[in-house]
Amino acid sequence: MPCRSQHIYCLKCLQESMNEHIQSKTAPVCHTNVCDYELSRHDVSCLPLDENIIQELLDFVKNTQRPQCPVCQFYVDFKTMDDLQRHVFSCPSENMIPCEYCHCLYNMERLDAHTRQCRNLSRAQQQQALIDFLLLRTKYPITEPQMRMFIEYRKKNRLAFDPHSIVDALVEFGAVFPLEVPTRDCEVCLEAKVYDDVFVFGCDESHKLCYGCFEDACVAKMNSNEVLTCGLCTYQLLDGEIKQLRVSDDRKREFLDYQAQKTFSIYRDGTQGVIKCPNQRCKWIAEARNPTDRFSVTCKICDFQFCSLCSQQYHYRTTCQQLREITQRWVIWCNTERGTYLQARAQQDANFRAQLEDYERQRAANEQRNAELRQRYDELIADENYKGQNCRLCPNCQRVVQHLGGCDSMICGQNYHGGDQQSGCGRRFNWSQARPYMPIANNGVQQVRNDLPRPEEQQAIVHKDIRCDSCHQEVQGIRFDCCHCASLIFCEKCEQRATLEHANQIRDEHKQQHVFQIIPRPLHRNTE
C-alpha cells in the first residue's frame, strides 16, 4: 500500500477490507484496523481488484491527492487510469521551456509565438496565466486566491516561483494550505468571501458586495428601469465599475449600453449640455460642464479620442475651422509640393541631397501614405459640401446642426420633441435665424499652394527655442507641427522620414492618419 509504512496485504485481506468500505459507504483507507491512510483515486485505480469493485470504491474516495507524472514531475488530475497513461505517454517534458514573462512552460515550437503575445500583457495578466497553469498541476487542489497568495508570499520572501518550485513547496504542506487567506463579509448576503471575490464601490460608505450580489443588484435595477447604482445606496455606477462585473463580454456590454442610455436621459433633463461618443456602435455619454469649450474627450467604453465640439479626431492648438484648411494644405504638400521643394533645396544646399535620395527610395511608402491622406481629403470635401447645403451653426456653441424637418424650433444636441441625441449645449433657437455653415473652398489640390519661402531664404529663418523632436536641433526653415499629438515637431530636414515613420505607427494602431500644420515662418509667442 502507498502509505508511509508501506503495509503489505494478501489479495484476500485486501478484497475483504475494500468490500467493507463499499458496504459501509465510507472512504477507503489502507486498512480499517491497521492504518488510517486514506486512499486517493490513483491509489484505488492501482489496486489489483476486479474492475467493478474499483468503480464502486471510486465513488467513495474523498482524498483529493493527485498522482505524479514520472516524466514532467507535475501532478495530474484524471478520471481513469487510461487518462493518466495517455498523459504520461504524450508528456514532452524534455522540450518544455519557461516563458520569461509568465514563467509557464511551453514546448519549443510554441514558445516564440507565446512570448510575442505574453510580453504585451500586463503583469497581472501574466501572473494569472501562471496561476491557471499551476492550479491543474498541484498534488492537492487549491483555490485561485490561495495560489495567488502563495505566489505573492514567495515573491515577497525572494523565493523561487517557477512552476516546479511552487508545486514542490506545496507538497511539503500536504492537503492543508499553509497560509490563511483573508476574507471579508458581503454586506448583502453576509457570507464570508476572499478579498478577490468582493467588490468595493466608490461611494462614500465604500460598500462591499460579492460579485454575485453585485450582478443581482444591476439586474434588479434594469428590471425596474432605474439607473445602475451601488447595491446599498444611490451612488451611480461609473463605466469602470461596471466593467469589473464578472459576466460575459456581451452581458457587460448590455449593462454599459443601458447605463449610457439612462445617464443620457438624466443629463438631458437636468443639465445644459452633453457629450456623446461619435462612434456609432458606442452609446457612451457624459455631462459637459461647459458645452461651448473645446477640449479632448476620451470615451470610457471604446477609448476613442475626439474633439468635444466637432466630434472629429482631437486636434491641439487649432480650432475646428482652422483644421479644415490645415488638412487641405497638408495633403497638397504631401502629394505635390514635398518632392519639388526637396529638389530645389538640394540644388541650393548640398546637405539636402541625402533627404532627396531618401525621399526617392521611399517613394512607394510615401505614395501609400499620400493615398490615405487623399482619401481623408476627399471625405473632408464631400462632408464640407454636404454641411454647406444642409447645415447651420448653433448660435451658442457653434456646433454644426442639421434641420431634418418639422417646425423652425431647434435644440442643440437633440430633436426639439426628443430623440436623436447627439453632442450639444442644449440651447434653444430658431433654424431660420442660425448662421449658415461656410464650407472651405474646394479649388482642387492643383490650384492651392502653401506660402513657402524661397530655398535661398531658409537659412535665415529660425524658429527660436523650438526644437525638432527627431534631430533635437533648433528648427530652421519650415516647421511641421502634428495637430493630433500633444507635442510633436519636425524640422524640414527630418520631416519626410519622421512623418512617414509616424504615419506607419498610426496605421499600425488602426487610427486615422495625422495631419501636420506647415509653419513656414516663426509664429508670434501669443500664437504658439
Side-chain angles (χ1 to χ4, degrees), residues 324-343:
R324 297 178 293 167
E325 182 178 350
I326 291 172
T327 301
Q328 186 180 45
R329 294 190 175 280
W330 175 242
V331 173
I332 293 168
W333 167 262
C334 292
N335 280 275
T336 63
E337 293 182 339
R338 181 188 285 117
T340 303
Y341 183 80
L342 288 176
Q343 289 176 355

Side-chain angles (χ1 to χ4, degrees), residues 109-131:
E109 291 78 10
R110 293 183 54 197
L111 183 62
D112 287 343
H114 166 79
T115 301
R116 285 194 296 271
Q117 179 182 7
C118 190
R119 66 188 175 195
N120 295 322
L121 301 177
S122 65
R123 290 188 176 180
Q125 291 173 316
Q126 292 170 359
Q127 180 166 301
Q128 185 61 47
L130 177 61
I131 291 173

Side-chain angles (χ1 to χ4, degrees), residues 125-326:
Q125 291 173 316
Q126 292 170 359
Q127 180 166 301
Q128 185 61 47
L130 177 61
I131 291 173
D132 294 340
F133 180 87
L134 290 170
L135 287 177
L136 300 176
R137 293 168 172 84
T138 56
K139 185 172 183 178
Y140 293 94
I142 64 174
T143 65
E144 181 178 320
Q146 288 175 329
M147 181 61 76
R148 180 176 288 105
M149 186 177 185
F150 193 69
I151 291 175
E152 293 297 334
Y153 167 80
R154 293 185 68 82
K155 284 183 178 180
K156 182 179 179 180
N157 290 276
R158 302 188 177 218
L159 301 173
F161 59 94
D162 61 279
H164 280 108
S165 297
I166 293 175
V167 169
D168 292 343
L170 286 170
V171 169
E172 298 177 6
F173 300 104
V176 180
F177 185 69
L179 305 175
E180 182 179 355
V181 179
T183 62
R184 59 175 30 149
D185 292 340
C186 170
E187 296 180 24
V188 173
C189 66
L190 304 181
E191 293 184 8
K193 304 285 185 178
V194 297
Y195 273 26
D196 288 345
D197 291 340
V198 175
F199 181 79
V200 181
F201 290 87
C203 52
D204 293 338
E205 296 81 4
S206 298
H207 289 130
K208 304 169 186 64
L209 272 68
C210 68
Y211 281 92
C213 292
F214 182 10
E215 181 184 357
D216 292 343
C218 291
V219 172
K221 292 292 183 181
M222 284 183 64
N223 292 339
S224 58
N225 198 28
E226 300 178 37
V227 67
L228 303 185
T229 64
C230 166
L232 293 173
C233 68
T234 59
Y235 168 78
Q236 184 171 328
L237 298 184
L238 303 176
D239 294 333
E241 293 173 310
I242 297 174
K243 289 181 179 179
Q244 298 300 316
L245 279 166
R246 294 180 178 176
V247 295
S248 66
D249 290 341
D250 291 341
R251 184 62 167 162
K252 197 175 297 183
R253 170 61 61 181
E254 184 181 351
F255 282 126
L256 288 168
D257 289 347
Y258 173 83
Q259 186 75 335
Q261 293 174 352
K262 298 300 295 183
T263 302
F264 188 92
S265 300
I266 293 174
Y267 287 159
R268 180 191 62 198
D269 298 336
T271 66
Q272 291 185 339
V274 296
I275 300 294
K276 185 177 185 297
C277 178
N279 185 348
Q280 294 183 355
R281 297 186 298 272
C282 182
K283 297 182 180 180
W284 179 78
I285 197 76
E287 181 180 15
R289 294 183 179 179
N290 191 341
T292 61
D293 286 349
R294 182 180 67 85
F295 52 88
S296 174
V297 182
T298 301
C299 176
K300 305 300 184 187
I301 295 180
C302 68
D303 293 327
F304 180 64
Q305 185 183 30
F306 59 95
C307 171
S308 62
L309 291 181
C310 66
S311 295
Q312 300 298 316
Q313 186 179 31
Y314 186 69
H315 42 94
Y316 295 87
R317 301 170 295 280
T318 58
T319 66
C320 303
Q321 291 74 26
Q322 290 170 339
L323 183 65
R324 297 178 293 167
E325 182 178 350
I326 291 172

